[in-house]
Amino acid sequence: MYMEKLYDEMEQSNVRFVGFTTKEGRYDFGIVYTSQFFGKPLVVCMQTGQSSLLDSSDVKDLDFLQKKFRLPDKMVAMDLADFLNDVVPPAELMEASYE
């Protein structure tokens, strides 16, 4: 089997675990802040295991959030977007990873 390693990085990262409820249900997320991947945090839904690297433009895309995190409707996607607005850094603060 041929394999070429592209990267193998280790770093200390900040991880935040947040649980919250809305009228529609309970949500538990892990957010991994890293300098990898252009500074986009890795957001993991603890119930479904769905995850995505997100930036501030992704947070504004309700269709993307609904599909990515398997949310039942737009109202839930709006609730998640409201939450993520506070935890995903603005694009201006993200770093280039592949220079």
Side-chain angles (χ1 to χ4, degrees), residues 24-72:
E24 287 78 24
R26 176 188 170 133
Y27 303 94
D28 297 282
F29 285 90
I31 301 105
V32 180
Y33 297 96
T34 174
S35 63
Q36 299 295 313
F37 312 112
F38 303 101
K40 293 182 179 185
L42 175 63
V43 178
V44 181
C45 176
M46 305 306 279
Q47 280 101 352
T48 65
Q50 295 298 112
S51 63
S52 184
L53 295 166
L54 298 178
D55 64 21
S56 53
S57 65
D58 297 323
V59 171
K60 295 174 187 164
D61 187 343
L62 298 180
D63 290 326
F64 173 78
L65 291 177
Q66 186 176 359
K67 182 178 178 181
K68 180 50 75 174
F69 291 103
R70 297 181 182 167
L71 303 173

Side-chain angles (χ1 to χ4, degrees), residues 2 16-17 44 65 88 96:
Y2 173 78
R16 179 178 177 182
F17 295 98
V44 181
L65 291 177
V88 173

